[in-house]
DNA sequence: ACCTGAACACCGTTCAAGT
DNA sequence: ACCTGAACACCGTTCAAGT
């Protein structure tokens, strides 16, 4: 008889069946997200990972959308507080940049963030940080409040644009961009004079220069647009 | 023998099996979208509707995403040209409002528009219209070009926010809003002073007043933010 | 070339039944 | 109360085979 030091205790090598809790489910979901993307964060896959059946997860999580929202708030914890140096606009741009960068790593999460706005503690921290920076910049409170929404919508939507269905997403997006570029360059001067005249600049700019311009544009607008703005006669 | 004027020619009542073309597929897709929402616009369902197997559709459509993009451009045709009366800002707000309203009727389409930017003829028309209005307002060309992108991103994202999974989406969204409202109202004055101070205004405003403020804010920003804006020393 | 049946590899969610 | 096997009702996409 040969020595057989560690007999398998379960079917697989998994060290121990982890306790089934909301936390263990979310933690597993984050691990699967990091390793294989949100597409694989499914009830069935998570159940398999946790050595149980999909029905068991419904004791702790209402549905897939809620699960994805929980995952998002978890990742929001990795977006640090505002940096200490620089003027308030710079700092705001960097905070928003960190948020966007996190979402860019998981664009499908951005997509779901758009639909299921998070309300977890990490999300509140982000809002507080942005409000503090706008306050520091002297932006009137009402405009700051609505402005935070606009800034987060912009950042989230920018990241969501890069979401793809499956791994062939990059190729597909390239083809879409080519199609749009082709359409813009071939726009008739007669029917689409403005597009024809601006073809170059319409397609110009790096993603980061556009993002930076977007944030500055938003801030300039937020600073000087009052919520009701009744049309002066 | 009783008279039997119209014997069924096929299994179902369907008058005639329509020819399978890209157009008939897209037309069927639009019909299903209008009747039951984008969730039902699936390859399998369309195949059933067209009396064939799902595999047949792949001769005319690359994949589901491309199909949804084609549907979007089709609906874009219902967004009319710019109205003739009013000042350029008003008119721009109304054009963008019509675009948003169309997407609001099919928010899941907005979601997919965010990922798969359309490049069809109707989309080009919309861009041309917006560029013309910005030009009329004296907005510098480069800012107008990038601004159109920002305006469309805002409108699309606003509509996409209302996308839901299934018919229980409204209830789910209400619960999310309640959760956020609760979190905002219970924010600690010590850890989240700005949120606590601005709780009321953070949650205020009707969707339409916020949308209107958003467009005006964007326009104000676009008008006065130059693309490169090198930091002056 | 165009079309298709059948298969592959998945999904979310519910429910009756167990402990 | 918590957990689960099994089922229901779907998906997208591919491929070999037909016409």
């Amino acid at each position: 008889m040969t020595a057989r030091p560690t007999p398998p205790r379960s079917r697989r090598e998994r060290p121990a069946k982890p306790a089934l809790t909301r936390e263990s489910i979310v933690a597993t979901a984050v691990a699967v997200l990091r390793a294989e993307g949100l597409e694989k964060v499914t009830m069935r896959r998570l159940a398999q990972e946790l050595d149980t059946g999909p029905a068991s997860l419904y004791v702790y999580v209402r549905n897939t959308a809620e699960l994805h929202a929980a995952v998002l708030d978890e990742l929001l914890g990795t977006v640090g507080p505002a940096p200490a140096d620089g003027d308030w606009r710079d700092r705001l741009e960097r905070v928003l940049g960190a948020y966007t960068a996190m979402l860019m790593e998981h664009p499908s999460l951005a997509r779901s963030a758009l639909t299921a706005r998070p309300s977890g503690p990490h999300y509140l921290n982000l809002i507080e940080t942005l409000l503090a920076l706008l306050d520091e910049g002297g932006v009137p409170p009402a405009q700051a409040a609505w402005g935070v929404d606009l800034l987060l919508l912009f950042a989230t939507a920018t990241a969501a644009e890069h979401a793809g269905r499956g791994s062939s997403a990059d190729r597909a997006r390239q083809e879409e961009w080519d199609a749009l570029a082709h359409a813009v360059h071939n726009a008739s001067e007669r029917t689409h004079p403005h597009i024809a005249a601006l073809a170059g600049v319409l397609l110009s700019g790096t993603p980061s220069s556009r993002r930076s311009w977007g944030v500055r544009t938003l801030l300039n607008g937020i600073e000087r647009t009052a919520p009701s703005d009744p049309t002066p006669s």
Side-chain angles (χ1 to χ4, degrees), chain A:
Chain A
M1 282 198 264
T2 36
R4 210 160 168 283
T6 50
R9 268 179 314 192
S10 61
R11 256 178 307 149
R12 306 272 224 94
E13 271 295 284
R14 232 183 297 285
K17 183 166 167 166
L20 203 55
T21 63
R22 193 175 213 273
E23 269 146 42
S24 72
I25 292 171
V26 173
T28 307
V30 171
V32 172
L33 170 73
R34 291 221 157 91
E36 304 177 50
L38 193 70
E39 286 69 31
K40 301 287 182 180
V41 181
T42 67
M43 293 299 202
R44 291 183 112 102
R45 173 61 193 278
L46 255 33
Q48 187 188 314
E49 210 77 25
L50 291 160
D51 243 331
T52 182
S56 306
L57 306 183
Y58 284 82
V59 177
Y60 304 96
V61 163
R62 197 192 304 267
N63 51 40
T64 308
E66 195 202 290
L67 175 67
H68 288 176
V71 167
L72 175 62
D73 197 75
E74 197 66 25
L75 290 214
L76 234 28
T78 67
V79 175
D85 62 306
D87 117 290
W88 72 275
R89 287 161 182 276
D90 277 3
R91 283 189 284 152
L92 196 147
E93 203 177 317
R94 273 182 285 164
V95 169
L96 218 57
Y99 171 70
T100 309
M102 182 273 281
L103 287 180
M104 283 287 201
E105 266 165 72
H106 311 286
S108 41
L109 204 55
R111 245 191 127 166
S112 87
L114 219 49
T115 307
R117 282 287 193 94
S119 63
H122 296 307
Y123 191 65
L124 282 196
N125 288 346
L126 180 57
I127 293 177
E128 175 69 21
T129 300
L130 294 173
L131 284 175
L133 287 167
L134 291 172
D135 182 37
E136 187 184 327
V139 176
Q143 287 158 231
W146 287 19
V148 164
D149 228 58
L150 198 52
L151 288 164
L152 288 173
L153 184 66
F154 171 69
T156 310
T158 299
E161 276 193 290
H162 293 81
R165 37 294 162 206
S167 53
S168 59
D170 285 342
R171 182 168 46 72
R173 207 158 17 253
Q174 183 60 46
E175 275 168 22
E176 273 159 30
W177 200 89
D178 291 348
L180 186 61
H182 183 265
V184 164
H185 275 122
N186 286 52
S188 148
E189 258 177 67
R190 223 176 43 69
T191 60
H192 300 90
H194 294 91
I195 293 178
L198 296 175
V201 67
L202 272 168
L203 300 165
S204 74
T206 63
S208 102
S209 66
R210 284 208 171 214
R211 204 180 52 72
S212 169
W213 177 79
V215 176
R216 283 182 288 112
T217 299
L218 253 32
L219 290 180
N220 282 339
I222 290 166
E223 277 188 300
R224 64 195 85 222
T225 310
S228 87
D229 204 60
T231 327
S233 57

